[in-house]
Amino acid sequence: MNAPRPRNLPAEERRNVTVEAVIDLAGTMNPDTITTAAIAKHMNLTQGALFRHFPNKEAIWKAVMSWVADRLMTRVEKAAAGIDSPLEAMQAMFMAHIAFVAEHPGVPRMLFGELQAAKETPAKRLAQAMLTKYAARLNALIADGMARGELREDLDAGAAGTLFIGMIQGLVMQSLIAGDMCNIASDAPRVFDLYRRGIVAGGA
């Protein structure tokens, strides 16, 4: 049985397909240049059909950020679930985040674009809220690791959290500059190993 065409999908599925179309487009072009006409063309729809589910472009961007926040946080939480060691949980989160980006290269472009925008938008607020939640989860793991003696007792927890996120951003930025996301998954373990050596108790 053939999959339903976008024009025949139920409303909720159409919205999800639209979000995925935007992320696909963002993987190959600057998100700022993505128009509703481009989105509709990518989906083989008219703009009129697109606007039956979203009142404007801002609403589409909000839906995209909501999708990203939900999928990414679910992915990293699932990766860390059931791991007793805070350090191992951090590594699992790191690798899960990298895998998510490798699968959806348009996501970091969308995030960078929203967070750098001067204007406050619903999409930007969602991106900021996601990063706040992410940082809180990470900081809790770092604090737990220090309390257990797994991480260095003199560790600057705030800097460790910032560096964790910065490593992901750095890997993403290098991949975007190179125009190739293929190497990000292979580079990530080596980068985390250096990070690990700097924060683990005993420096081993």
Side-chain angles (χ1 to χ4, degrees):
M1 182 177 179
N2 294 329
R5 291 168 60 84
R7 68 180 71 253
N8 297 324
L9 293 175
E12 185 61 30
E13 289 186 45
R14 170 74 65 78
R15 284 189 285 269
N16 287 335
V17 170
T18 303
V19 166
E20 291 168 3
V22 173
I23 292 174
D24 284 347
L25 288 169
T28 57
M29 59 191 298
N30 186 333
D32 288 343
T33 66
I34 299 175
T35 63
T36 53
I39 298 168
K41 181 179 180 181
H42 188 74
M43 298 174 67
N44 294 317
L45 296 173
T46 65
Q47 287 191 70
L50 189 64
F51 286 130
R52 280 199 289 273
H53 299 277
F54 296 95
N56 49 44
K57 183 178 176 179
E58 186 174 87
I60 297 174
W61 257 234
K62 180 181 177 181
V64 170
M65 283 300 110
S66 180
W67 186 96
V68 169
D70 179 66
R71 298 301 194 283
L72 177 57
M73 290 307 302
T74 296
R75 178 76 69 92
V76 298
E77 289 287 1
K78 183 177 180 180
I83 300 178
D84 184 60
S85 162
L87 182 57
E88 296 303 325
M90 289 169 63
Q91 182 167 1
M93 286 177 61
F94 185 84
M95 296 308 300
H97 192 148
I98 291 296
F100 183 82
V101 169
E103 292 169 19
H104 307 287
V107 165
R109 289 176 179 269
M110 295 294 298
L111 282 172
F112 287 147
E114 287 303 319
L115 293 171
Q116 292 173 3
K119 181 182 177 182
E120 281 292 326
T121 65
K124 182 177 181 178
R125 287 192 289 272
L126 280 169
Q128 291 170 328
M130 182 197 70
L131 288 179
T132 298
K133 182 178 180 181
Y134 194 113
R137 178 72 172 100
L138 182 59
N139 290 338
L141 285 171
I142 292 171
D144 189 22
M146 294 175 67
R148 295 187 186 200
E150 190 176 48
L151 303 183
R152 292 171 46 173
E153 62 179 12
D154 63 343
L155 181 65
D156 183 331
T162 298
L163 182 57
F164 181 100
I165 295 173
M167 290 190 301
I168 295 172
Q169 293 172 334
L171 285 166
V172 168
M173 188 60 68
Q174 288 183 34
S175 296
L176 291 176
I177 291 172
D180 184 1
M181 298 295 287
C182 295
N183 293 329
I184 191 169
S186 59
D187 290 342
R190 295 186 294 107
V191 171
F192 192 87
D193 184 59
L194 286 175
Y195 176 73
R196 183 188 188 109
R197 291 171 184 271
I199 66 172
V200 71

